[in-house]
């Protein structure tokens, strides 16, 4: 069963506007971590933000925030004030505590920021 | 920059050959994981090493093997290359095995012809 779903293969946003990238996940483990990574065309995966399953508050890192809705198993990434340099692939990933420490990645969303 | 370096950055091999990819982890990180990312897809977990021992493996055949050295750097070896092995191979290093972030290298792009 797919554990991470990203239903938006591609998204467009105007520069300086906010955008939300969707992510839903599936796990029976009560302890897990949710991550968002950015992958520019160079290939490197750049860590953006982390949310632990027991965290009470939504995570924020600069222009990035994670809208965590545990009951809905949703972990959407919100990018505020989009910049041209935000154009890249974005991956949602999960790490479960009981099955090794590997990431399970979603299929990704390609974000294009328009001038 | 994350401090994780991979070599080589690009590689072309012929079907049936063997290849070794290398990863130098971030200073102090004792856990290294390898991922295969086919074109247009998310990365897939190959295996992980913690303090020189394999600590988890994804759904990859035994011709994918690895090593971790005392300095925590790592190698990924692939024998009997197949065309479907063409992909970006990513190495990630982290400290420990609990839910901590991992830092990725820039990847090695392998093309099998």
């Amino acid at each position: 069963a797919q554990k991470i779903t990203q239903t938006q293969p591609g998204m467009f946003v105007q520069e300086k506007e906010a955008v939300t990238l969707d992510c839903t996940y599936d796990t029976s483990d009560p302890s897990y971590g949710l991550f968002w990574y950015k992958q520019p065309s160079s290939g490197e995966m750049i860590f953006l933000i982390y949310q632990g399953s027991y965290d009470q508050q939504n995570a924020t890192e600069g222009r990035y925030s994670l809208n965590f809705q545990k009951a809905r198993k949703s972990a959407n990434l919100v990018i505020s004030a989009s910049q041209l340099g935000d154009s890249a692939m974005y991956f949602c990933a999960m790490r479960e505590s009981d099955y090794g420490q590997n990431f399970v990645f979603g299929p990704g969303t390609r974000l294009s920021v328009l001038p | 920059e994350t401090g994780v370096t991979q070599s080589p950055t690009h590689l072309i091999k012929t079907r049936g050959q063997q290849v070794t990819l290398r990863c130098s982890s971030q200073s102090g990180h004792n856990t290294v994981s390898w991922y295969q990312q086919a074109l247009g897809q998310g990365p897939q977990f190959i295996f992980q090493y913690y303090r020189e021992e394999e600590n988890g493996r994804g759904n990859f055949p035994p011709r994918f093997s690895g090593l971790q050295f005392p300095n925590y750097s790592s190698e990924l070896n692939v024998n009997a290359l197949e065309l479907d092995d063409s992909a970006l191979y990513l190495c990630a290093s982290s400290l420990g095995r609990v839910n901590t972030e991992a830092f990725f290298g820039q990847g090695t792009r392998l093309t099998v012809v």
Side-chain angles (χ1 to χ4, degrees):
Chain A
Q2 189 171 5
K3 294 204 168 190
I4 299 285
T5 303
Q6 294 180 257
T7 57
Q8 306 153 315
M11 289 281 285
F12 290 90
V13 65
Q14 210 67 41
E15 194 179 5
K16 300 180 185 176
E17 292 187 349
V19 63
T20 298
L21 306 184
D22 295 341
C23 172
T24 57
Y25 60 93
D26 184 30
T27 181
S28 56
D29 192 333
S31 176
Y32 53 89
L34 295 160
F35 302 76
W36 277 92
Y37 280 87
K38 172 184 177 181
Q39 187 178 44
S41 55
S42 60
E44 183 177 349
M45 300 287 275
I46 301 168
F47 167 76
L48 296 178
I49 197 165
Y50 164 79
Q51 180 85 40
S53 58
Y54 293 117
D55 293 344
Q56 297 294 315
Q57 306 238 339
N58 285 343
T60 60
E61 290 284 350
R63 294 187 298 113
Y64 304 106
S65 60
L66 198 152
N67 184 1
F68 181 46
Q69 299 187 44
K70 194 170 182 177
R72 297 181 59 188
K73 294 189 174 179
S74 165
N76 298 340
L77 176 71
V78 180
I79 306 175
S80 64
S82 296
Q83 302 171 356
L84 295 178
D86 294 335
S87 294
M89 284 292 291
Y90 287 81
F91 290 95
C92 179
M94 179 173 63
R95 247 179 167 175
E96 294 167 315
S97 64
D98 291 344
Y99 300 100
Q101 293 304 304
N102 59 286
F103 287 100
V104 175
F105 285 88
T109 295
R110 180 170 296 282
L111 177 66
S112 299
V113 181
L114 306 174
Chain B
E1 273 195 23
T2 63
V4 180
T5 56
Q6 292 185 241
S7 62
T9 54
H10 294 83
L11 199 54
I12 300 174
K13 288 285 190 178
T14 303
R15 189 172 49 182
Q17 285 187 314
Q18 179 265 344
V19 68
T20 297
L21 310 182
R22 295 178 175 84
C23 173
S24 175
S25 59
Q26 182 153 317
S27 178
H29 282 187
N30 55 18
T31 303
V32 174
S33 305
W34 286 91
Y35 292 81
Q36 180 196 66
Q37 186 178 16
L39 196 62
Q41 298 182 20
Q44 300 288 317
F45 174 66
I46 302 175
F47 46 58
Q48 177 176 269
Y49 279 84
Y50 173 67
R51 294 184 175 178
E52 303 178 57
E53 300 273 335
E54 188 177 292
N55 184 44
R57 188 178 184 92
N59 189 26
F60 280 81
R63 60 189 184 84
F64 286 78
S65 63
L67 280 173
Q68 187 179 30
F69 300 100
N71 66 356
Y72 302 135
S73 65
S74 178
E75 285 183 356
L76 164 65
N77 299 290
V78 187
N79 294 321
L81 283 166
E82 300 177 359
L83 297 179
D84 283 350
D85 296 333
S86 295
L88 180 68
Y89 288 84
L90 293 163
C91 162
S93 79
S94 58
L95 180 61
R97 296 175 293 176
V98 191
N99 283 326
T100 57
E101 68 181 277
F103 295 96
F104 284 80
Q106 82 283 10
T108 293
R109 193 167 295 280
L110 172 65
T111 302
V112 182
V113 298

